[in-house]
Amino acid sequence: MLIHVSRPTAWLRDLDPSRHKQLKHLMFVFCRDSADPFLAELPSFLSSLSSDHLQEVYLHAEADPEMGIDWNMTDWQQMDDALAGLHKRCPSLIITFHFHFYGVLPVRSKRPDVVEPLRERIPLALGSGMRIASVLSAMTFRSLNDDTQPLAMGFIVGPEEWHWLTPTT
């Protein structure tokens, strides 16, 4: 099931995941143009998932390169509790947090750290042994080295950085 979110997430309160007993894969794409913090309702929704067959939850969130990641996007204590609860029901479940900087970063700019801030926010889930990945991707720009067009710029989607999170590393 793919859910693309570009508006406030209050509608998640009204979505009944108990109807999806065989749900195996769930993907959310949260757009940065959302009017409210894009993960506000997600912990409650994740807590209400009843499928024992769930294998993967993929959370893709767009971030602004100038503003960085808004770590106040959700109540992280509730998110941590929800993830730990999911792990008890579905011990083989994999959670992926994918942060994509949707915009333009200069080529040699340092990518922000998403691993440590995420690890600090979900210690209970990580301590339970849940498999959690952090992914960072970004778009960069560079000169095309075209003498006839000195201001010609090209865009590159850089390689994704994947990290498996553990409680300590």
Side-chain angles (χ1 to χ4, degrees):
M1 175 185 293
L2 170 64
I3 300 174
H4 190 271
V5 181
S6 62
R7 61 182 189 271
T9 56
W11 61 272
L12 278 174
R13 283 189 298 247
D14 300 325
L15 190 61
D16 182 9
S18 67
R19 294 183 359 210
H20 305 284
K21 300 279 187 201
Q22 300 298 316
L23 184 65
K24 292 182 180 181
H25 303 278
L26 181 61
M27 177 184 220
F28 284 91
V29 178
F30 296 97
C31 298
R32 70 178 178 160
D33 61 349
S34 177
D36 70 351
F38 39 75
L39 299 177
E41 299 292 332
L42 193 56
S44 297
F45 179 80
L46 292 176
S47 293
S48 67
L49 289 172
S50 59
S51 173
D52 293 333
H53 303 284
L54 202 55
Q55 297 172 2
E56 178 184 24
V57 174
Y58 193 93
L59 307 171
H60 180 111
E62 295 176 352
D64 187 318
E66 292 179 19
M67 304 295 288
I69 295 172
D70 178 7
W71 289 104
N72 295 318
M73 65 184 83
T74 194
D75 180 324
W76 284 99
Q77 180 61 55
Q78 288 181 5
M79 179 67 80
D80 195 22
D81 292 343
L83 294 176
L86 275 174
H87 180 65
K88 286 179 185 172
R89 288 193 310 278
C90 305
S92 62
L93 175 64
I94 297 172
I95 304 288
T96 302
F97 287 90
H98 185 161
F99 299 98
H100 177 73
F101 280 85
Y102 186 75
V104 180
L105 294 173
V107 170
R108 290 182 212 16
S109 66
K110 185 176 186 231
R111 289 185 171 195
D113 179 21
V114 296
V115 174
E116 195 55 38
L118 184 56
R119 181 190 346 266
E120 292 171 358
R121 286 165 172 81
I122 52 172
L124 186 61
L126 289 171
S128 72
M130 179 173 246
R131 295 184 301 167
I132 300 175
S134 171
V135 181
L136 176 67
S137 61
M139 189 181 327
T140 58
F141 67 91
R142 66 174 175 81
S143 169
L144 292 178
N145 294 327
D146 183 350
D147 293 338
T148 63
Q149 299 289 327
L151 297 178
M153 302 297 282
F155 293 96
I156 302 170
V157 175
E160 294 179 344
E161 296 177 13
W162 282 80
H163 301 275
W164 286 105
L165 276 66
T166 63
T168 58
T169 59

